[in-house]
């Protein structure tokens, strides 16, 4: 069950970060240096979408959920369910049949070279095996995770729901921008982070941190470098 919560002062709002495939809480270390109260969660990696959503929902009431990759997909699932979060900042989630080929390169990378190839394909040269913390059969876990996230289907943003900002790296491949376009049609706010691809916490942590702080109510909106032009798009130019 998705619990309901009451608003709390901005300084007391939990900020919870959720990682994706071929990753661990360590991918959030650059952001934690900029937002000390951020807590990076360790996903159970069950390979079952309903279980992962239920796991995250246990932490979500009143919190800002910050997700990247598969973590963003789980956050988007909660947002679509109307979870009583403070808000969401979600970098490059999946979009199901709205952009059906989005995760095909990830699946192909796994076929070629297992988890290591997936990490490099998703996150680029900054990724390393040190960012994994899986035990046992790592490739079996990754295979289940890829299938799980490919099964996800986003819902329309509920009217009156908490603020949910979906971000895309300006240097990301075209399908990622197609996801943003489709999610805008479902009522989600979208932003572009200049100079970033998928691995935003390592590529542009300060820009992401500024947006997280804004959504958490720690900084006022409209700070330098953000201009949505009234369209729901924004680009970070710092």
């Amino acid at each position: 069950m998705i619990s309901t919560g009451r608003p709390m002062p901005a300084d007391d709002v939990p900020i919870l970060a959720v990682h994706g495939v071929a990753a661990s809480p360590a991918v959030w270390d650059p952001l934690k240096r900029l937002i000390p109260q951020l807590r990076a969660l360790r996903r159970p990696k069950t390979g079952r979408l309903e279980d992962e959503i239920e796991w995250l929902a246990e932490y979500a009431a009143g919190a800002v959920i910050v997700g990247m990759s598969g973590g963003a997909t789980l956050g988007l699932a909660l947002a679509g369910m109307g979870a009583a979060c403070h808000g969401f900042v979600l970098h490059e989630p999946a979009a199901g049949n709205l952009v059906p080929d989005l995760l095909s390169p990830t699946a192909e990378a796994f076929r070629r070279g297992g988890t290591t190839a997936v990490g490099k394909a998703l996150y680029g040269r900054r990724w390393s095996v040190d960012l994994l913390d899986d035990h046992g059969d790592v490739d079996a876990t990754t295979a289940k995770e890829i299938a799980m996230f490919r099964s996800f289907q986003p819902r329309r943003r509920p009217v009156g729901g908490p603020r949910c900002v979906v971000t895309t790296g300006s240097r990301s491949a075209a399908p990622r921008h197609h996801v943003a376009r489709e999610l805008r049609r479902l009522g989600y706010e979208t932003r572009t982070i200049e100079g970033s691809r998928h691995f935003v916490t390592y590529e542009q942590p300060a820009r992401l941190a500024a947006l997280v702080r804004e959504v958490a109510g720690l900084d006022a909106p409209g700070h330098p470098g953000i201009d949505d032009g009234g369209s729901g798009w924004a680009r970070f130019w710092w």
Side-chain angles (χ1 to χ4, degrees), residues 72-97:
T73 303
L74 295 178
L76 188 61
L78 280 188
M81 295 167 66
C85 299
H86 185 90
F88 299 86
V89 178
L90 308 174
H91 188 71
E92 299 194 350
N97 59 14

Side-chain angles (χ1 to χ4, degrees), residues 61-215:
V64 172
I65 302 298
V66 186
M68 180 171 62
S69 191
T73 303
L74 295 178
L76 188 61
L78 280 188
M81 295 167 66
C85 299
H86 185 90
F88 299 86
V89 178
L90 308 174
H91 188 71
E92 299 194 350
N97 59 14
L98 298 179
V99 186
D101 294 331
L102 177 71
L103 297 181
S104 294
T106 305
E108 175 59 22
F110 181 77
R111 188 191 67 78
R112 293 195 319 266
T115 302
T116 298
V118 168
K120 291 178 179 178
L122 280 174
Y123 305 111
R125 60 183 178 83
R126 288 182 170 89
W127 182 89
S128 73
V129 294
D130 294 336
L131 295 174
L132 291 171
D133 64 354
D134 298 291
H135 303 287
D137 192 337
V138 175
D139 282 349
T141 297
T142 301
K144 291 190 297 183
E145 292 250 285
I146 293 171
M148 176 182 75
F149 288 122
R150 295 185 88 177
S151 73
F152 168 73
Q153 299 295 336
R155 302 181 184 184
R156 179 170 293 276
R157 178 179 177 270
V159 175
R163 186 178 181 190
C164 182
V165 184
V166 176
T167 62
T168 307
S170 66
R171 296 181 180 177
S172 289
R176 296 288 181 185
H177 295 276
H178 297 165
V179 170
R181 180 189 65 205
E182 295 298 329
L183 292 179
R184 284 200 302 278
R185 293 175 177 170
L186 293 182
Y188 295 94
E189 181 181 353
T190 60
R191 303 282 184 102
T192 301
I193 299 185
E194 190 67 23
S196 178
R197 294 183 176 86
H198 197 59
F199 204 9
V200 63
T201 54
Y202 273 57
E203 294 159 348
Q204 295 294 341
R207 295 173 183 176
L208 179 62
L211 182 56
V212 171
R213 290 181 60 85
E214 178 190 319
V215 171

Side-chain angles (χ1 to χ4, degrees), residues 29 35 38 55 90 97 154 188:
D29 286 352
I35 308 177
L38 180 143
W55 164 81
L90 308 174
N97 59 14
Y188 295 94

